[in-house]
Amino acid sequence: MMKLRRAQERGHAEHGWLDSWHSFSFADYYDPEYIQFRALRVINDDTVEPGRGFGAHGHHDMEIVSYVLEGALAHRDSMGNGSVIRPGSVQRMSAGTGVQHSEFNASQSEKVHFLQIWFLPNRSGIQPGYEEKYFDDAAKRGRLCLVASPDGTDGSVLIHADAKMYAALLEEGERVERMLTQDQHAYVHVARGNASLNGTPLGAGDAAMLSEGERLVLDQGQNAEVLVFELA
């Protein structure tokens, strides 16, 4: 059975410098029906004003993935990493025993739009870690490109979680199909544009949850960028 979650049903926080939509309970937003989906704990759809951002703060025992849609995001952390990620780059930070980091809009003139995604780790107390990889549009065009996985398959970033994260770019005439096994669940999130999932139209920010043994068909894309999470 497929369960829909429309974009406007998400939690919303407007802080002036930050416009944030929460797919799951986060900060002041709480919904007992949407605490998490399997190991997927957070999808925050964040737009940050030029030169603004999140100052240094700490995390532990969480797998954090940043996925930039527009603009440039500057990252620094207590492990000594510093980089600017742009569309196509996927950044993974394993908080493990504890890490401090900051995320700022790298531009003084343009907004940055990105997804902050958290996974519950499959084991606690690991050594903190960082990884960043780039996936060009060709790798995602009309297909599911694996960008994060528990074993780093196909050049994906490695997350210590029972989850796989795929990205796809879809236009009219392109179609993606995938069959979930009996021990898999899926969460589909439309990051931008429009697409159809199993015949149901979805727009930017819309999401759907699918159960074990179901077929997932994405098509009718219009400038669509879609993330698919396969979860145990």
Side-chain angles (χ1 to χ4, degrees), residues 198-231:
N198 295 353
T200 299
L202 299 178
D206 288 345
M209 289 147 277
L210 293 93
S211 303
E212 308 162 291
E214 291 192 78
R215 182 180 297 277
L216 182 159
V217 179
L218 285 163
D219 57 10
Q220 298 180 36
Q222 297 177 340
N223 194 33
E225 187 159 6
V226 183
L227 300 182
V228 176
F229 302 90
E230 282 186 357
L231 304 149

Side-chain angles (χ1 to χ4, degrees), residues 31-47:
D31 185 334
E33 289 191 30
Y34 293 98
I35 303 294
Q36 66 193 68
F37 184 70
R38 317 299 290 184
L40 183 58
R41 176 61 186 87
V42 166
I43 302 179
N44 286 351
D45 188 338
D46 291 342
T47 300

Side-chain angles (χ1 to χ4, degrees), residues 83-131:
S83 66
V84 176
I85 63 171
R86 294 178 170 84
S89 293
V90 176
Q91 177 198 87
R92 181 268 300 174
M93 187 177 71
S94 298
T97 54
V99 67
Q100 294 273 328
H101 76 121
S102 64
E103 310 289 337
F104 273 83
N105 187 341
S107 172
Q108 296 297 319
S109 60
E110 298 180 350
K111 296 180 180 181
V112 61
H113 180 198
F114 73 104
L115 300 178
Q116 180 184 165
I117 301 160
W118 296 6
F119 298 94
L120 297 172
N122 50 26
R123 56 194 175 97
S124 60
I126 66 171
Q127 185 73 18
Y130 179 89
E131 187 179 12

